[in-house]
């Protein structure tokens, strides 16, 4: 088709032609460069056209430009991704030692996305991944819904690899560390997996549960392994299997009240460095038989007023009793509150004495002999595991399974374990910086996620390097406190007083003689 004269008359680069592509639109009249000539045997040379270098649009030549965002975004979410990367190096190393490289990176990235964006669904993973620096540090990961489900299924099917990973995490646990084993129930919305079962609580709620057990290192303040069991499994059944499967051979098992140590007797016999600590009920006959409420002293080095009693009982085990005075006063106040609320209730001196005697009392049974303070600290720090489960159900929004099939569920819980382990490290760093005194964990994570940075910025981030994108000034102190960004250098303090006019004299320089210099003698 012939190109109109007014189009060919538009100024354009030399050695070019205009080509009519025949379709209406901004790119109808293409400008092509002459790339050379083509020789025809027995005839004249023919010009050879090259690439399209522009178009005639609205009466002017417009050069060809790259497609919008052809090379990707020029800025991405940085703060929370950088924090997770800083705290997960050893975890990724263990994953790489067990899984194929792409699967290991995919597991870590999915765990990170569950921390960055609570309640994220599998179908949203790829989109969120592309908006964070995770896509730069670990590029090219397939994160479609089907790909992730397939990964979960494969991870769930391969128990040997999961066990190998947990053993690597266990190897960093010292024999003096205290290991708390506890569990939580999660609603199971699936209708096709066998791990879903009705626990006692679930029957009241009307939904089936899955039981998730965690082993938590109190000294390192993070979980070291996890396991999934049917919701109707009792602790006495799941604990021995959990200990054996994860090769827990040392530490102190801090169990719930009423847990029978006899259920893990075989594990205790086989592993001499493995011990147990479990609370007993206040009405246990051994308390009165061994006179455990006759206090022997007070604990020192703690911020509470606690009396203790430590005695050896039949069978070689030990009982440790503690009375927390602040809790005792609380129970005494509760005793009087009940009387005041119920006008028909009668005061009983016998009930009052019983309340005062047992108020604030905790008694523990153990096969380990150690000082009473260590036992008290071991159980007092148990609340940290409860905090883990609260984050596990709220901050990370992992309280529902959202997957189908036993193996897929197990694989998903393995990724949840990675999320929880990293979350514990994040909270520990937040507590050291005292930022949690000013804001919640979730608010701080949202601030860090809102800190965007240019993709071509230097690897080491500085608060004054000019590579941040729309970051509020109030977020920089948080980034600096969490070791994500290096603060601006502070100017040197100005010296007070007037500057010296003359420098100090050199003590080694020869001293000048005072007075006039002698006159020179002249010849007559």
């Amino acid at each position: 088709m012939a190109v109109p004269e007014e189009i060919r008359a538009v100024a354009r680069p030399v050695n070019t032609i205009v080509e009519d592509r025949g379709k209406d639109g901004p790119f109808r009249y293409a400008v092509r460069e002459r790339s050379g000539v083509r020789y025809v045997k027995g005839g004249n040379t023919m010009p050879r056209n090259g690439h399209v270098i522009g178009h005639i649009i609205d009466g002017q030549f417009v050069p060809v430009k790259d497609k919008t965002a052809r090379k990707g975004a020029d800025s991405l979410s940085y703060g929370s991704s950088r924090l997770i990367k800083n705290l997960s190096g050893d975890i990724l190393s263990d994953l790489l030692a067990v899984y194929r490289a792409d699967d290991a990176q995919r597991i870590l990235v999915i765990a990170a996305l569950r921390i960055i964006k609570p309640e994220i669904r599998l179908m949203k993973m790829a989109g969120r991944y592309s908006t964070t620096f995770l896509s730069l540090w670990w590029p090219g990961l397939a994160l479609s819904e089907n790909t992730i489900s397939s990964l979960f299924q494969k991870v769930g099917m391969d128990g040997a690899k999961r066990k190998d990973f947990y053993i690597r995490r266990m190897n960093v646990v010292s024999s003096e560390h205290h290991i708390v084993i506890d569990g939580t129930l999660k609603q199971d919305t699936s209708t096709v997996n066998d791990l879903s079962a009705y626990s006692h609580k679930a029957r009241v709620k009307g939904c089936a549960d899955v039981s998730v057990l965690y082993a938590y290192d109190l000294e390192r303040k993070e979980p070291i392994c996890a396991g999934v069991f049917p919701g109707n499994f009792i602790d006495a059944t799941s604990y021995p299997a959990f200990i054996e499967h994860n090769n827990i051979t040392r530490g102190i098992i801090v169990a719930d009240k009423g847990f029978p140590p006899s259920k893990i007797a075989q594990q205790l016999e086989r592993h001499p460095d493995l011990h147990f600590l479990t609370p007993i009920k206040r009405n246990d006959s051994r308390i009165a038989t061994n006179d455990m409420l006759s206090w022997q002293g007070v604990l020192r080095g703690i911020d509470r007023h606690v009396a203790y009693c430590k005695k050896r009982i039949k069978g070689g085990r030990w009982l440790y009793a503690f009375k927390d005075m602040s809790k005792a006063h609380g129970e005494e106040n509760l005793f009087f509150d009940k009387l005041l609320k119920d006008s028909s209730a009668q005061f009983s001196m016998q009930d009052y004495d019983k309340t005062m005697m047992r108020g604030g009392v905790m008694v523990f049974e153990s096969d380990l002999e150690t000082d009473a303070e260590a036992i008290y600290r071991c159980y007092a720090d148990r609340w940290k595991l409860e905090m883990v489960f609260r984050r596990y159900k709220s901050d990370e929004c992992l309280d529902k399974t959202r997957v189908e099939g036993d193996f897929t569920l197990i694989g998903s819980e393995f990724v949840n374990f990675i999320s929880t382990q990293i979350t514990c490290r994040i909270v520990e760093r937040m507590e050291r910086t005292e930022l949690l005194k000013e804001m919640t964990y979730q608010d701080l994570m949202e601030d860090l996620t809102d800190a965007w940075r240019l993709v071509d910025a230097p690897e080491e981030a500085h608060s004054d390097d000019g590579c941040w994108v729309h970051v509020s000034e109030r977020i920089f102190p948080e980034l600096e406190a969490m070791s994500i960004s290096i603060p601006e250098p502070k100017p040197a303090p100005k010296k007070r007083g007037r500057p010296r006019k003359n420098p100090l004299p050199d003590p080694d320089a020869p001293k000048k003689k005072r007075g006039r210099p002698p006159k020179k003698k002249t010849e007559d």
Side-chain angles (χ1 to χ4, degrees):
M1 186 178 295
V3 178
E5 178 64 27
E6 65 270 16
I7 298 298
R8 288 189 287 112
V10 173
R12 62 181 190 275
V14 297
N15 295 324
T16 60
I17 65 163
V18 181
E19 180 182 75
D20 187 356
R21 295 189 169 181
K23 292 183 179 180
D24 291 333
F27 304 126
R28 175 172 181 173
Y29 298 108
V31 177
R32 303 176 70 102
E33 63 180 355
R34 296 286 197 189
S35 62
V37 294
R38 178 167 52 90
Y39 292 94
V40 179
K41 188 175 181 180
N44 297 327
T45 59
M46 300 292 292
R48 178 182 293 134
N49 298 329
H51 298 290
V52 175
I53 63 171
H55 299 83
I56 304 300
I57 303 174
D58 293 335
Q60 60 180 338
F61 171 75
V62 179
V64 171
K65 296 181 177 63
D66 288 339
K67 290 184 178 179
T68 304
R70 183 178 66 86
K71 298 179 181 179
D74 57 1
S75 63
L76 297 170
S77 176
Y78 179 81
S80 55
S81 300
R82 178 84 253 183
L83 178 61
I84 293 172
K85 187 175 188 293
N86 290 346
L87 297 177
S88 59
D90 61 323
I91 298 176
L92 180 58
S93 296
D94 287 345
L95 287 172
L96 289 171
V98 176
Y99 294 97
R100 202 174 69 176
D102 57 340
D103 287 340
Q105 292 181 357
R106 195 177 289 115
I107 289 171
L108 182 67
V109 167
I110 295 172
L113 292 173
R114 284 181 168 177
I115 299 172
I116 295 172
K117 184 62 176 177
E119 294 187 348
I120 188 170
R121 297 187 176 277
L122 300 187
M123 66 179 68
K124 301 290 186 179
M125 286 280 184
R128 177 61 61 172
Y129 165 70
S130 65
T131 65
T132 68
F133 263 73
L134 300 173
S135 60
L136 291 185
W137 295 322
W138 300 294
L141 297 180
L143 291 176
S144 68
E145 184 175 6
N146 290 337
T147 302
I148 296 175
S149 296
S150 176
L151 174 66
F152 286 169
Q153 185 177 26
K154 292 176 182 178
V155 171
M157 293 173 65
D158 199 336
K161 279 187 168 59
R162 297 197 314 276
K163 183 177 181 179
D164 187 6
F165 175 80
Y166 288 142
I167 290 176
R168 291 174 182 275
R169 305 311 305 161
M170 282 291 301
N171 288 338
V172 301
V173 179
S174 172
S175 59
E176 293 81 17
H177 284 195
H178 304 103
I179 299 175
V180 177
I181 297 181
D182 201 356
T184 185
L185 293 174
K186 297 180 59 178
Q187 293 183 22
D188 187 1
T189 56
S190 171
T191 58
V192 298
N193 76 61
D194 298 327
L195 291 173
S196 172
Y198 281 92
S199 64
H200 175 71
K201 295 179 182 178
R203 295 183 189 281
V204 178
K205 295 184 295 183
C207 63
D209 285 332
V210 168
S211 176
V212 182
L213 284 184
Y214 265 43
Y216 182 83
D217 187 340
L218 287 180
E219 280 69 23
R220 293 177 61 87
K221 300 181 181 180
E222 65 181 47
I224 51 178
C225 58
V228 183
F229 296 87
N232 59 349
F233 262 45
I234 60 175
D235 292 347
T237 305
S238 57
Y239 274 41
F242 181 72
I243 292 172
E244 288 294 335
H245 180 75
N246 293 287
N247 197 31
I248 301 177
T249 61
R250 59 184 185 273
I252 301 176
I253 308 302
V254 184
D256 281 330
K257 184 179 293 186
F259 176 79
S262 59
K263 296 297 182 180
I264 58 173
Q266 295 181 358
Q267 289 74 22
L268 296 173
E269 290 178 3
R270 285 200 298 268
H271 310 300
D273 292 331
L274 186 65
H275 305 280
F276 77 90
L277 175 66
T278 182
I280 64 176
K281 297 180 180 180
R282 290 182 179 180
N283 59 359
D284 194 300
S285 60
R286 292 174 293 178
I287 297 176
T289 302
N290 295 279
D291 198 19
M292 294 302 300
L293 302 185
S294 296
W295 310 112
Q296 300 170 344
V298 296
L299 297 181
R300 304 183 185 277
I302 62 174
D303 58 353
R304 306 177 74 89
H305 297 156
V306 179
Y308 74 90
C309 179
K310 165 188 170 183
K311 290 185 179 179
R312 189 170 186 174
I313 61 176
K314 290 182 179 180
R317 294 179 178 175
W318 292 82
L319 291 184
Y320 298 87
F322 304 95
K323 185 177 181 68
D324 188 323
M325 297 305 171
S326 60
K327 290 185 178 180
H329 292 320
E331 293 186 32
E332 183 181 8
N333 291 334
L334 183 61
F335 175 81
F336 284 104
D337 287 342
K338 289 182 179 179
L339 290 176
L340 294 174
K341 289 180 181 179
D342 187 358
S343 57
S344 62
Q346 298 293 325
F347 178 82
S348 169
M349 193 63 192
Q350 182 178 1
D351 292 341
Y352 178 72
D353 289 340
K354 186 177 180 180
T355 300
M356 292 300 295
M357 177 68 69
R358 295 183 176 180
V361 172
M362 301 177 292
V363 185
F364 304 93
E365 178 186 3
S366 179
D367 63 336
L368 177 65
E369 180 188 6
T370 184
D371 58 283
E373 182 180 338
I375 295 294
Y376 179 81
R377 288 183 180 276
C378 184
Y379 198 80
D381 286 344
R382 190 177 183 276
W383 65 271
K384 294 174 183 176
L385 182 60
E386 300 300 328
M387 288 185 62
V388 170
F389 285 145
R390 279 202 295 271
R391 289 194 295 273
Y392 185 77
K393 289 186 175 183
S394 59
D395 292 333
E396 295 171 19
C397 299
L398 309 176
D399 57 325
K400 296 183 179 180
T401 59
R402 302 197 194 101
V403 293
E404 303 286 342
D406 290 346
F407 293 125
T408 309
L409 170 62
I410 294 172
S412 179
E413 290 304 324
F414 178 78
V415 177
N416 288 348
F417 167 82
I418 305 295
S419 297
T420 304
Q421 190 174 33
I422 299 174
T423 300
C424 289
R425 297 181 178 186
I426 294 175
V427 173
E428 174 64 17
R429 177 166 292 189
M430 289 179 178
E431 289 177 344
R432 290 203 307 267
T433 60
E434 299 186 349
L435 288 173
L436 292 182
K437 293 182 179 179
E438 304 172 4
M439 61 182 68
T440 65
Y441 164 83
Q442 195 61 47
D443 289 340
L444 184 52
M445 287 299 295
E446 289 178 0
D447 283 352
L448 299 181
T449 303
D450 289 340
W452 283 52
R453 189 166 170 82
L454 297 176
V455 296
D456 57 354
E459 178 68 19
E460 190 176 67
H462 291 255
S463 299
D464 61 343
D465 59 12
C467 296
W468 300 95
V469 179
H470 306 303
V471 179
S472 173
E473 288 295 329
R474 67 175 181 82
I475 297 181
F476 281 112
E478 300 170 7
L479 294 169
E480 294 164 3
M482 299 298 290
S483 300
I484 298 172
S485 178
I486 299 176
E488 302 177 21
K490 296 182 179 180
K494 295 182 180 180
K495 295 182 179 180
R496 294 183 179 181
R498 295 180 180 178
R500 295 180 180 271
K501 293 183 178 179
N502 298 318
L504 294 175
D506 186 0
D508 298 330
K511 295 182 179 180
K512 294 182 179 180
K513 295 182 179 181
R514 294 184 178 181
R516 294 180 179 178
K519 293 183 178 180
K520 294 183 179 180
K521 293 183 180 182
T522 58
E523 296 181 357
D524 295 338

